[in-house]
Amino acid sequence: MVYHLLFPLSWKIPALSWFRVFQYTSFRIVGAALTAILLGFVLSPWFIRRLQARQIGQVVRKDGPATHHVKAGTPTMGGSFIVFSVVTSTLLWGVLTNVYVWLALAVTVAYAAIGFLDDYLKLSRRNPQGLRASYKFGAQIVVAAAVVGALFLHYKFDPHLALPFVAPSRFMPYLGAYLYVAFGVIVVVGTSNAVNLTDGADGLAAVPVALNAFVYLILSYIAGTVLAFKVGGTWIDVNIAEYLRVPYIQGAGELAVLCAAVVGSCLVFLWYNTYPAQVFMGDVGALSLGGALGMVALLTKNEFLSVILGGIFVVEAVSVILQVGYFQLWGKKRGGKKILLMSPLHHHFELKGWSEPQVVVRFWIIQVFLALVALATLKLR
């Protein structure tokens, strides 16, 4: 919005020529992050007080770690403010003619609505189960299929897969539009639920989401930005994507603004969510942020890289799948035997004797390592 309102004035009014700075994505990235941070610190205390006044408190699963029982009643659904901050900052600083931004925001808002309903049912019924799993997954699949289908079928997105450590000029598997839509739905829905499963300890999800978004900020900027340099009176265009041997996607650079808003919003949320948490994210935040990360991974052709970058989310999700699958297939026959003491994986380590802050900080350290590995793939092709 700022771009559309102020940038045109730089050409009409000479005294406002400095407004041309709004044409630079890098400037608007910083603006989106700062806006999200300021919104958070100014409005979050009021928002938390409103949650407390309305007695919107966490419903804790009875079979969870005993140390988590004291968290019952802590304000939840704080993720709704994250979504508000992300959407507001993106609309304020983004180029609103960019279809990729709108598609990513569509998934973010729609998944927030699904998560909100899930959280609402948990609170109203005083039951941690919330929305029936088949309904929740079904709604996520429908939203993802509609948005990804529009991307590939209407906007003719290139249905090739990019692989980490492999230059696009060497090998890019071709799936075809319809198969790629199915693949895209898996990426978006899978990422969304993996983030949701990770959100089970104070601060555990916020930092990995922020680090994932920060890396995607860099990757999206690289994938969609062409820099112009003046050399000896001649302008020379430098395509960063071609130089680093990653797929060039025209317009993808604008997704960096959305990623910056996610980073800023998550950092502020961490201020209030760090141990002991004053507010929880809830499904409204975890599902929407996961959906946003999944869409950015898809739009920048980093679907397979997301397995490395989002390794914490992947391992958490796999731990639940293995735990449930093993119990259903063999555990019942062996006296209820399980692979882990409890899933997701962070609960297993808590029951092994790690304190909650130890689990969280150690997972953060692993996430930093994974983020560095993901960035390293830019030069290892």
Side-chain angles (χ1 to χ4, degrees):
M1 187 179 298
V2 170
Y3 169 83
H4 297 285
L5 291 175
L6 301 184
F7 177 60
L9 298 178
S10 66
W11 299 101
K12 299 177 181 178
I13 305 174
L16 299 179
S17 60
W18 64 275
F19 278 0
R20 292 173 192 174
V21 71
F22 290 106
Q23 71 182 301
Y24 298 110
T25 308
S26 54
F27 178 79
R28 290 183 287 104
I29 287 171
V30 175
L34 291 177
T35 300
I37 291 172
L38 290 173
L39 277 174
F41 280 127
V42 171
L43 298 179
S44 286
W46 169 83
F47 185 72
I48 293 173
R49 287 195 300 270
R50 294 298 298 172
L51 292 175
Q52 292 172 331
R54 293 178 177 272
Q55 297 183 333
I56 301 177
Q58 178 74 9
V59 180
V60 179
R61 53 187 284 194
K62 295 180 180 179
D63 61 340
T67 54
H68 285 228
H69 293 171
V70 297
K71 300 182 180 184
T74 301
T76 188
M77 298 177 73
S80 55
F81 186 80
I82 297 178
V83 175
F84 168 79
S85 182
V86 169
V87 173
T88 301
S89 301
T90 303
L91 293 178
L92 188 63
W93 292 95
V95 173
L96 302 185
T97 56
N98 187 292
V99 66
Y100 297 152
V101 171
W102 284 109
L103 291 176
L105 285 178
V107 170
T108 304
V109 174
Y111 277 28
I114 297 169
F116 182 89
L117 178 59
D118 190 34
D119 287 334
Y120 175 78
L121 292 176
K122 290 177 183 177
L123 294 169
S124 61
R125 298 172 180 175
R126 309 306 299 173
N127 188 322
Q129 298 304 317
L131 187 64
R132 187 178 298 179
S134 58
Y135 294 164
K136 183 160 66 174
F137 277 109
Q140 289 178 279
I141 291 171
V142 169
V143 171
V147 174
V148 178
L151 172 68
F152 290 104
L153 302 179
H154 183 71
Y155 296 104
K156 309 300 181 184
F157 197 70
D158 181 16
H160 281 86
L161 291 175
L163 303 177
F165 307 107
V166 180
S169 58
R170 293 188 176 183
F171 182 60
M172 286 187 73
Y174 179 81
L175 291 185
Y178 292 101
L179 188 57
Y180 211 159
V181 169
F183 175 74
V185 170
I186 293 173
V187 170
V188 175
V189 175
T191 305
S192 176
N193 286 282
V195 172
N196 193 32
L197 291 171
T198 305
D199 182 36
D202 296 354
L204 181 56
V207 169
V209 168
L211 285 171
N212 272 253
F214 180 72
V215 173
Y216 282 131
L217 184 159
I218 296 172
L219 297 175
S220 57
Y221 185 82
I222 289 172
T225 303
V226 177
L227 299 178
F229 297 93
K230 194 173 185 180
V231 180
T234 303
W235 286 96
I236 299 176
D237 291 336
V238 177
N239 190 312
I240 308 176
E242 290 183 1
Y243 171 73
L244 292 174
R245 297 182 180 182
V246 298
Y248 172 68
I249 305 163
Q250 187 176 3
E254 203 60 33
L255 290 168
V257 176
L258 182 147
C259 292
V262 171
V263 173
S265 299
C266 286
L267 290 179
V268 174
F269 180 75
L270 180 64
W271 183 277
Y272 300 98
N273 182 240
T274 191
Y275 184 86
Q278 296 174 255
V279 65
F280 295 138
M281 186 180 294
D283 282 18
V284 62
L287 290 180
S288 57
L289 290 173
L293 292 180
M295 277 302 297
V296 174
L298 194 71
L299 293 167
T300 58
K301 292 197 175 295
N302 286 298
E303 305 95 341
F304 284 102
L305 183 63
S306 68
V307 177
I308 298 173
L309 175 58
I312 292 292
F313 306 137
V314 172
V315 171
E316 291 273 57
V318 170
S319 72
V320 174
I321 294 171
L322 292 178
Q323 180 88 327
V324 174
Y326 180 85
F327 182 78
Q328 293 295 330
L329 293 175
W330 297 289
K332 290 181 179 179
K333 302 176 183 178
R334 300 180 180 180
K337 187 177 180 180
K338 300 177 182 179
I339 299 176
L340 303 172
L341 295 177
M342 182 178 292
S343 64
L345 187 62
H346 58 268
H347 286 328
H348 171 78
F349 287 116
E350 287 185 82
L351 295 180
K352 290 283 287 185
W354 292 14
S355 67
E356 185 174 348
Q358 281 180 317
V359 174
V360 171
V361 173
R362 287 170 179 173
F363 274 45
W364 288 355
I365 294 170
I366 294 171
Q367 180 58 71
V368 171
F369 171 77
L370 295 173
L372 293 174
V373 172
L375 290 174
T377 64
L378 291 172
K379 297 300 292 183
L380 298 175
R381 293 178 182 268

